[in-house]
């Protein structure tokens, strides 16, 4: 076993405290962590890829072994090109576990040298999701317990909240 | 991050190919892996703890960074005493996912410095379990696709199969 | 404990017998029940909010302690403004239980004074949903077992069925 | 609607903070709450029915509209004899949701005048169960975050812990 | 395709209306159906194998293409010896779906020439199980909606009910 | 029991090896099998209905008792008009089991003479879905293990892959 690179990919639209908890734990488990925003042309995001890169980079600045990136195309292709050996995924009781397992098995079939590890979301973040944060912020609710300060500020600016 | 010790605990009554696949993958993900048999006085096992230690040690002999052990009491207490920082668990579609998450959350509450990672069982081992292997062997069925050779031999001896 | 106001919110597009069974049971459990249509600008409904208000009011006319309303924004904000202390949700085996729990936990975090109760859908309504009723009515099928008479009539008018 | 009696039944072996959170919330939702220990001859409990009655009564002493009782036989028969109209159940992400629904449907068929309401367990109690508390206490672990003080004392006495 | 033999195996302790609904539907789907009681030495049944054979035979007497049998050992071995090509299983929302899938996959691996088909339990039988019927009958409750008349009579005799 | 017609309906956009495994098994279980493409005006497919008919017909040419068709409207109406008595559905661990059960129960209510049987997807196809195949092909990945040769060729042509 040599020094492993772990890949944590997602939409991060916007990054939440749940995402950052995963980043922190992955950074403790693995020598190098890439946090990567997948470009997904199908959906219209709230924040552009560039905005999300800025938000994630600022929020992850404290982790010395974490880099933030973006990619297009299949996750396994990006993982290979980045030299990653492990895909990290969060797993909530309140998640599509079956879907996550399907993706993990598909990725294992497409790229047998890659492995997937699931980290159980901590109970206090179990219900936090990017779509929930967007929904609350859209109605000018308080998201300060669910997202880092720079994301909260960006949400206020986006929705012209006081 | 320093060199992590991962703990993979279970009953291993007997060890199956599904268990060994997990050991192999954990050994690739983490610098040191402890495979530990939990003594559980409540249930009457098929193989004694000593028999299982022998079976596991022989089956894991090829992994340089894996040691086999046994423990009694709470998993988190053993993990602390062994210096482990990560608990490794297999996760099957055909498993009690909710139960696994409950245990992970309880362990996180009891020992916040410990983390749990789940590895999805490979599709070809998805239905393999120790109880299935025992049941097939009890009726003199062929378990050679589900357990390593030394375990198959031990099962044949246990059930007086040809 | 004083006299509780329970809130049963949804899209009701259209109201089904499953919805009305919930209303009836909530009306037996709690002194006051508000049945509230959530305005959701994202989705294009089959019936307008005004049409749904009319359909629900007629269907709920027999319940003395039930009022029908509509709201926009976060459910917890509306509950607070309406003085509700309990959110009532139906729970089907054939439902997104995980999703319901996530929403309940989010609402409990956003508004700790609010509680959520789930009523298990009766077996005979277990498969009935508004989308199923729309789909059957769209193809001129018989929905009279799944929706109240005024809704059936409105569906026939909407789809020009005989 | 008249003043409802709600029934919250279980083994309570021992009562946990998760149980008491349910009692508190039921006591806010309904005018009268019966917390009832079901005698179950099949399983050998850690605490006798009398011990559990004492533990529950002390722990529920602060709730004016809660009484503690015990019963034998079918839950629906006891509910009828006690005049209860509502059965209250806790619902965890980490629970046997399917099993709970089966029981609710069976009870609705056996006693149509009874309804069942599920309260989602709060996230901080989501992993707490009586069996977990017993297991930790058996190994002299700290259960003070999971059970009320009188239960913790009883567990220490039972397991000769310091 | 030639005339298929379908195997429906279980404990049938006792047979319920849910079981008989499955038998009836299997008898309409396949030319020949074997309903087989698996001898399971581990559990102490309420009715002996001979009693269950009698109960099932009487209850299935109206189906011309159904035979009732019993077996010991692995299901796949019995299926082969009986010439069955299809294993029939009921599937409830309120069942261990994951467990059923695990068994189906194990059987497909042990005997690739055998296939498994799942029939969804009808909604009105969704909560009926042999253990529920035993539990109600044990407390002298009414099981006449859940089991055929001869089984109800046998339960009354077993529990000395009026 | 007379000679049964089984109906296997879906979008088949495109047909995958998972679909074809189901067709093969249905063709062994039932005397006649109709594989039918449901026209669904709501979603924009990758392949037109005519393209999918051609792909399915070529892929199913080897099954003597299988015909390929298309339909519009409710599945139960089409099943009746085609004389089918059985609806065949694949069931994956990685699927929406609850949704499948809801549809089966709705269909049983709409057309009681129709039955639904679920075939468990083989483990090696468990993660294969039409949307996964489209996604991989869109990024010029290799789908030859997941779809028949004629579908792979059609995907290459559609996405201008080499």
């Amino acid at each position: 076993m040599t020094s492993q690179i772990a890949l944590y990919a997602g939409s991060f639209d916007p990054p939440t405290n749940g995402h950052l908890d995963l980043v922190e734990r992955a950074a403790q488990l693995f020598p190098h962590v890439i946090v990567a925003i997948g470009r997904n042309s199908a959906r219209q995001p709230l924040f552009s890829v560039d905005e999300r890169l800025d938000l994630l980079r600022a929020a992850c600045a404290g982790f010395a072994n974490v880099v933030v990136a973006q990619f297009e195309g299949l996750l396994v292709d990006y993982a290979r090109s980045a030299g990653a050996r492990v895909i990290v995924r969060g797993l909530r009781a309140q998640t599509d576990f079956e879907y996550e397992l399907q993706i993990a098995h598909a990725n294992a079939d497409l790229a047998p040298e890659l492995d997937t590890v699931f980290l159980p979301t901590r109970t206090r973040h179990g219900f936090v999701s990017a779509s929930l944060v967007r929904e609350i912020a859209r109605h000018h609710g308080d998201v300060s317990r669910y997202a880092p300060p720079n994301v909260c500020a960006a949400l206020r600016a986006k929705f012209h909240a006081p």
Side-chain angles (χ1 to χ4, degrees), chain A residues 3-26:
Chain A
S3 102
Q4 298 282 13
I5 300 176
L7 172 60
Y8 176 40
S11 297
F12 304 105
D13 185 32
T16 68
N17 286 344
H19 295 137
L20 292 173
D21 181 60
L22 257 283
V23 172
E24 182 178 357
R25 291 157 66 195

Side-chain angles (χ1 to χ4, degrees), chain A residues 19 29 34 45 83 91 102 111 123 129 131 139 153 160:
Chain A
H19 295 137
L29 287 170
I34 302 171
L91 204 51
Q102 178 186 6
T123 53
S129 68
S131 64
H139 296 100
H160 308 290

Side-chain angles (χ1 to χ4, degrees), chain A residues 58-131:
Chain A
C60 295
F63 305 114
N65 59 338
V66 172
V67 295
V68 175
Q70 54 95 358
F71 72 101
E72 201 159 8
L74 295 179
L75 179 65
V76 292
D77 290 338
Y78 175 65
R80 278 170 166 162
S81 73
R85 281 289 310 278
V86 195
I87 296 169
V88 174
R89 302 287 299 167
L91 204 51
R92 301 185 291 187
Q94 295 100 344
T95 198
D96 194 342
F97 167 55
E98 304 295 344
Y99 173 76
E100 288 290 336
L101 208 58
Q102 178 186 6
I103 297 299
H105 284 155
N107 287 340
D109 197 77
L110 288 165
E113 79 280 11
L114 271 173
D115 211 338
T116 298
V117 305
F118 294 113
L119 298 185
T121 302
R122 293 194 195 285
T123 53
R124 68 179 172 280
H125 299 302
F127 59 84
V128 179
S129 68
S131 64

